[in-house]
Every structure is written in structure tokens, then in C-alpha cells.
Amino acid sequence: VQLQASGGGLVQAGGSLRLSCAASGRTFSTYAMGWFRQAPGKEREFVAGISSSGGYTYYADSVKGRFTISKDNAKNTVYLQMNSLKPEDTAVYYCAAGRTSWMSREELYDYWGQGTQVTVSS
């Protein structure tokens, strides 16, 4: 599985962005998907995850109520809708695919995209 993340950019605090992650291959529907982020000088952290069917989602407390993850198996794409963005959301965002139920554990993901930069100005 190859993953290509896109949709990052520069936005003012309070604004919105939608990230996309397009996957190659015919087995996308069998993978859970996750979004992670890494801010400068910090470790990569979990943001949101979604089950293979799209029926179950899980969020980090820091983004709960502001971000929404969704999965379109027909388009082999996972999305991250980010609303009410804050400067502390500034980071490189990565999508990942894995056959796991432990969505917040990055070591359980098998495939990673290249990352897309999100910058939120105050």
C-alpha cells in the first residue's frame, strides 16, 4: 500500500483545512487508517484513527470535537477535516495504514505517507 497525503497549508487560527490521504492497491478496505502529527522538536503523536469499515473512530483528546476522520473505501481515500484550528495544531501530518484495532499505537501501522505541512498562524 502506498499513501499520498495532501491538503496541508497555511491557515489562520479558527480556520479549517481538510487533509486527504489517497491509497494505492485493492486492499484499502481491509486497513484501519490513522492520522499522526509531528511538531518541530516534538515526538510524533496520534491524532485520529478509523476502523477498516469506517464504522469506528477514535481521537486524541486534544482534537476531539474539532477534527473528524472519515474513510471512503470506494475512492481509497481517508480524510481529516480540521476545524477551529489552533496554533498548537501546527505540525507535519502523516497518514498511516495498518491492520490493527489499537489505532493510537503508531508501531502497529505498516504503511506511512510522506506527510503534509499544516501551519496555523495566530
Side-chain angles (χ1 to χ4, degrees):
V1 176
Q2 291 186 321
L3 304 175
Q4 180 74 37
S6 62
L10 173 64
V11 63
Q12 288 187 333
S16 298
L17 281 174
R18 188 176 81 156
L19 305 183
S20 299
C21 177
S24 64
R26 294 178 290 178
T27 59
F28 177 76
S29 63
T30 67
Y31 285 90
M33 299 296 295
W35 285 97
F36 293 77
R37 67 187 181 187
Q38 187 168 22
K42 295 186 177 181
E43 294 187 351
R44 189 160 57 188
E45 64 176 1
F46 170 77
V47 175
I50 189 165
S51 62
S52 57
S53 68
Y56 179 76
T57 58
Y58 182 64
Y59 298 92
D61 288 343
S62 59
V63 306
K64 202 172 293 182
R66 300 188 297 122
F67 290 10
T68 302
I69 188 171
S70 59
K71 190 175 189 267
D72 188 335
N73 285 332
K75 295 184 178 180
N76 278 16
T77 303
V78 63
Y79 304 96
L80 185 68
Q81 178 67 44
M82 305 185 295
N83 299 328
S84 302
L85 282 161
K86 304 175 181 179
E88 52 264 43
D89 295 318
T90 295
V92 177
Y93 283 71
Y94 299 89
C95 58
R99 292 196 170 106
T100 176
S101 298
W102 296 94
M103 298 180 193
S104 63
R105 294 178 60 178
E106 65 173 89
E107 68 271 23
L108 298 181
Y109 286 84
D110 302 306
Y111 303 98
W112 291 82
Q114 85 289 0
T116 185
Q117 176 71 47
V118 172
T119 303
V120 184
S121 63
S122 57

